[in-house]
Amino acid sequence: MLDLDTVAWVPDAPTTLRPTEQAADGVQAFCRSHESWIVEGCYGELIRATLPFAPKLILLDPGLVQCLANCRARPWEPHKYASKAEQDKNLAFLLEWVEGYYSRCDDLSLQAHKTLFAEYDGENTHQTTL
């Protein structure tokens, strides 16, 4: 499984994105090196990097209230942060980012994800309940 946060963000700078091309190269290298895989994340251009491998796309969209609750209840992610306390320092940033997901129009928005899914000829599903 590839958590796209690990290729999208600059290590030790959790609010600085890597250049998209560099991150996409990492995604494609991961896909090439595994017979089967799961790529998890909300980065439209990085999901596009998986399309040559004909994945099944699943858009999990439980709604804003549930997304915010999930953020507040998330366990420590040791592959991203040295401690739970360090992770929690970014919680306000994450909550603000999630709140904007449904209204903004960038590559990291619901609008962009719906467009990506509509344009993809492969198997895909949009799941609104978990």
Side-chain angles (χ1 to χ4, degrees):
M1 184 184 133
L2 176 63
D3 176 344
L4 289 179
D5 283 344
T6 63
V7 295
W9 297 95
V10 173
D12 301 321
T15 59
T16 304
L17 285 168
R18 280 190 172 123
T20 301
E21 185 175 303
Q22 180 185 12
D25 288 346
V27 171
Q28 290 191 333
F30 174 83
C31 293
R32 278 192 301 275
S33 67
H34 296 85
E35 184 176 323
S36 60
W37 43 262
I38 295 172
V39 170
E40 182 277 327
C42 60
Y43 307 92
E45 286 304 312
L46 299 184
I47 296 301
R48 283 187 195 284
T50 71
L51 299 184
F53 301 92
K56 175 181 180 179
L57 299 180
I58 303 170
L59 175 56
L60 299 177
D61 176 19
L64 177 59
V65 171
Q66 186 61 53
C67 284
L68 293 173
N70 291 346
C71 291
R72 289 183 181 102
R74 70 190 174 138
W76 174 40
E77 299 169 289
H79 63 288
K80 296 182 200 175
Y81 299 98
S83 67
K84 176 79 164 105
E86 186 176 319
Q87 175 176 297
D88 288 345
K89 288 179 188 176
N90 294 313
L91 183 58
F93 173 81
L94 177 62
L95 293 172
E96 181 180 330
W97 184 88
V98 168
E99 286 181 10
Y101 176 72
Y102 293 90
S103 59
R104 68 177 171 264
C105 299
D106 62 10
D107 183 55
L108 304 172
S109 68
L110 179 60
Q111 178 182 343
H113 295 150
K114 285 182 175 180
T115 299
L116 173 64
F117 276 60
E119 293 172 351
Y120 181 55
D121 290 334
E123 185 178 359
N124 67 74
T125 184
H126 182 172
Q127 178 102 21
T128 57
T129 59
L130 301 179

